[in-house]
C-alpha cells in the first residue's frame, strides 16, 4: 500500500459523535469513556462517564434499540459517587468496563474511584443498571483501566488492570481472586515499550478482553508523550485462553488513532479511549464505543476475525517485541 494508506481495521460510524453533552437531560460538562453491553432484550446499554461542571465524574446509563441512535438517557446520575460510605470516591468515579458474568447472573462493573489516595479500581455488581452492590476498592491506588474476565480461570476470577509505579512506566497486570474481594497471584502480562515506540512508558487495557477461539484479544491504549501533549492510540495483543498471563502475540504498530476533529479537539486533545463494545449476532461484528478527546462518545466497527488475522500477520510473540 502506498504512502500513508493503512489497512482500516476499525471503521468510524458516519454519524459520529453518537452521544454528546448537548443530549444530556441535565447540565453536564462532557460525556465520554463509556462501558457497553447488550441487554437480554437486545437493547444496547452504555454506562457513560459524565463529567460535571465541578470536574467530578459520575456514571449515567444511555439505552438504544440499535446501538447508534434514539438514546434514552437516565434523567439523573445512574451511579453517583458515594464518598460518605465509600471515601475512595471523593473525587468521582470514572471509566467503567462492564462484564456479564453468567455464574454470578450479574454484570460486574470495574471503574476508577478517585480520591486523595489517587485513582484505584472499584467493583460494583448489578442486574439492571438501576441498583448496584458495591464491593469497594479491590486494587488500591495508583491503579485503573480494569476489567473482569467473564468466567473463572482455573477456579479463580481474573481481573486485568494497570497499576502505576515510580519504576519505569505503567504496565498491564492480571490478578486472581476466589470471591472478587481478595486478590492475589499478580502477574505482569504486557509491558509498555520504551523510547520512541507509540506504546512506550504507559499502556492500559481499553475495553474488556474479547474471548475468541484463539485467545483473549486485548485492545490496549498506548500513551505517547510529546512536546504537544499526550497521544492516545490503540494496539492489539492476544493472550492464552486458559493461562491468560501468557501473551501469544503482540502487534507492533497501532491500529486506531485520533484523526477526526472530534478526536483531535476537546477537553483533552488527541484521545480515543474505548471502554466497551457489543458483538453483533454473527459473533464477529464488534461495535466499539469510545471516548473522543474526553468530550463526547464515538462508535466504530471492526471484525474480530480481521483483527485476529492482522495479528497473525503483524504480531510477534511478546518476548520478541520487548525492546
Ligand atoms: C486517562 C484516563 C481517561 C482519560 C485519558 C485522557 O488517564 O483518565 O479517563 O480519557 O486519561 O485524559
Amino acid at each position: 500500500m502506498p504512502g500513508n494508506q493503512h489497512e482500516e481495521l476499525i471503521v468510524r460510524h458516519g454519524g459520529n459523535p453518537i452521544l454528546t453533552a448537548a443530549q444530556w437531560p441535565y447540565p453536564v460538562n462532557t460525556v465520554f469513556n463509556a462501558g457497553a453491553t447488550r441487554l437480554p432484550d437486545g437493547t444496547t446499554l452504555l454506562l457513560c462517564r459524565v463529567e460535571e461542571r465541578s470536574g467530578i465524574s459520575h456514571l449515567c446509563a444511555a439505552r438504544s434499540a440499535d446501538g447508534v441512535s434514539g438514546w434514552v438517557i437516565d434523567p439523573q446520575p445512574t451511579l453517583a459517587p458515594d464518598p460518605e460510605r465509600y471515601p475512595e470516591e471523593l473525587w468521582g468515579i470514572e471509566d467503567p468496563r462492564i462484564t456479564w458474568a453468567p455464574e454470578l447472573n450479574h454484570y460486574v462493573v470495574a471503574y476508577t474511584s478517585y480520591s486523595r489516595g489517587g485513582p484505584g479500581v472499584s467493583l460494583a455488581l448489578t442486574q439492571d443498571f438501576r441498583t448496584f452492590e458495591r464491593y469497594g476498592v479491590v486494587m488500591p491506588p495508583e491503579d485503573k483501566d480494569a476489567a473482569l474476565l467473564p468466567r473463572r480461570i482455573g477456579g479463580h476470577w481474573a481481573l486485568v488492570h494497570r497499576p502505576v509505579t515510580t519504576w519505569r512506566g505503567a504496565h498491564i497486570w492480571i490478578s486472581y481472586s476466589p470471591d472478587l474481594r481478595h486478590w492475589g497471584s499478580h502477574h505482569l502480562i504486557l509491558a509498555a515499550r520504551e523510547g520512541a515506540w507509540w506504546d512506550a512508558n504507559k499502556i492500559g487495557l481499553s475495553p474488556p478482553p474479547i474471548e475468541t477461539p484463539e485467545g483473549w484479544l486485548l485492545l490496549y491504549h498506548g500513551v505517547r508523550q510529546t512536546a504537544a501533549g499526550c497521544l492516545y492510540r490503540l494496539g492489539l495483543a492476544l493472550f492464552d485462553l486458559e493461562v491468560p498471563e501468557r501473551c501469544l502475540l503482540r502487534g507492533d504498530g497501532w491500529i486506531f488513532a485520533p484523526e477526526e476533529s472530534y478526536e483531535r479537539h476537546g477537553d483533552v486533545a488527541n484521545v480515543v479511549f474505548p471502554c466497551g463494545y457489543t458483538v453483533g449476532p454473527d459473533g464477529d461484528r464488534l461495535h466499539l464505543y469510545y471516548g473522543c478527546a474526553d468530550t463526547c462518545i464515538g462508535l466504530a466497527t471492526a471484525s474480530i476475525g480481521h483483527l485476529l488475522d492482522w495479528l497473525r500477520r503483524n504480531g510477534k510473540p511478546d518476548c520478541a517485541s520487548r525492546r
Side-chain angles (χ1 to χ4, degrees):
M1 276 184 198
N4 64 356
Q5 304 249 293
H6 296 280
E7 244 177 287
E8 201 183 9
L9 288 173
I10 299 186
V11 180
R12 291 167 177 83
H13 190 271
N16 273 353
I18 57 152
L19 274 171
T20 71
Q23 285 152 273
W24 241 248
Y26 54 93
V28 303
N29 177 44
T30 45
V31 299
F32 54 112
N33 300 3
T37 194
R38 185 165 286 128
L39 302 175
D41 68 358
T43 302
T44 296
L45 178 139
L46 297 187
L47 193 58
C48 309
R49 171 174 172 190
V50 175
E51 192 185 280
E52 299 158 20
R53 289 190 68 157
S54 57
I56 307 271
S57 293
H58 63 258
L59 309 183
C60 184
R63 294 170 173 82
S64 155
D66 64 4
V68 179
S69 57
W71 295 97
V72 178
I73 301 166
D74 279 358
Q76 55 203 26
T78 308
L79 187 65
D82 182 2
E84 292 292 313
R85 284 187 293 166
Y86 298 91
E88 68 274 10
E89 300 183 0
L90 181 67
W91 292 337
I93 57 178
E94 307 176 349
D95 302 356
R97 273 86 167 181
I98 301 170
T99 301
W100 169 250
E103 181 193 320
L104 302 170
N105 200 30
H106 274 78
Y107 299 94
V108 179
V109 184
Y111 58 95
T112 303
S113 44
Y114 189 22
S115 73
R116 289 183 204 287
V121 175
S122 290
L123 295 184
L125 272 63
T126 185
Q127 285 184 313
D128 54 10
F129 294 92
R130 299 190 195 283
T131 58
F132 294 82
E133 185 191 352
R134 278 171 161 91
Y135 275 42
V137 191
V138 294
M139 294 293 161
E142 184 174 343
D143 206 328
K144 54 164 69 170
D145 299 329
L148 187 77
L149 298 191
R151 57 179 174 83
R152 292 176 192 257
I153 307 287
H156 287 86
W157 295 106
L159 188 81
V160 178
H161 58 112
R162 201 288 305 280
V164 176
T165 67
T166 50
W167 173 250
R168 298 171 81 180
H171 316 295
I172 301 179
W173 287 64
I174 197 165
S175 302
Y176 294 92
S177 169
D179 56 6
L180 297 181
R181 294 188 185 275
H182 304 91
W183 294 88
S185 301
H186 313 287
H187 299 271
L188 192 161
I189 60 166
L190 197 71
R193 284 182 266 213
E194 294 178 14
W197 281 92
W198 70 275
D199 56 354
N201 305 321
K202 190 178 186 182
I203 60 172
L205 176 72
S206 274
I210 303 161
E211 188 167 8
T212 79
E214 294 179 36
W216 298 101
L217 185 59
L218 222 91
L219 277 131
Y220 72 97
H221 56 266
V223 187
R224 173 81 192 278
Q225 303 217 341
T226 78
C230 289
L231 267 170
Y232 279 72
R233 295 183 281 214
L234 286 184
L236 274 185
L238 187 70
F239 293 82
D240 188 278
L241 274 185
E242 299 311 323
V243 190
E245 61 261 30
R246 185 185 300 152
C247 182
L248 305 174
L249 290 171
R250 179 186 196 166
D252 272 350
W254 68 82
I255 58 160
F256 194 61
E259 284 171 13
E260 299 293 335
S261 61
Y262 53 88
E263 299 162 349
R264 287 209 169 269
H265 305 287
D267 275 4
V268 182
N270 295 314
V271 179
V272 287
F273 204 93
C275 287
Y277 58 82
T278 60
V279 181
D282 63 355
D284 181 63
R285 178 68 33 195
L286 204 58
H287 305 255
L288 206 56
Y289 294 91
Y290 64 104
C292 310
D294 283 14
T295 297
C296 56
I297 296 172
L299 167 63
T301 55
S303 147
I304 296 173
H306 290 166
L307 295 177
L308 286 170
D309 179 55
W310 180 88
L311 250 188
R312 262 183 248 114
R313 286 183 285 114
N314 295 285
K316 300 189 186 82
D318 190 34
C319 50
S321 65
R322 216 173 270 172
R323 300 171 202 146

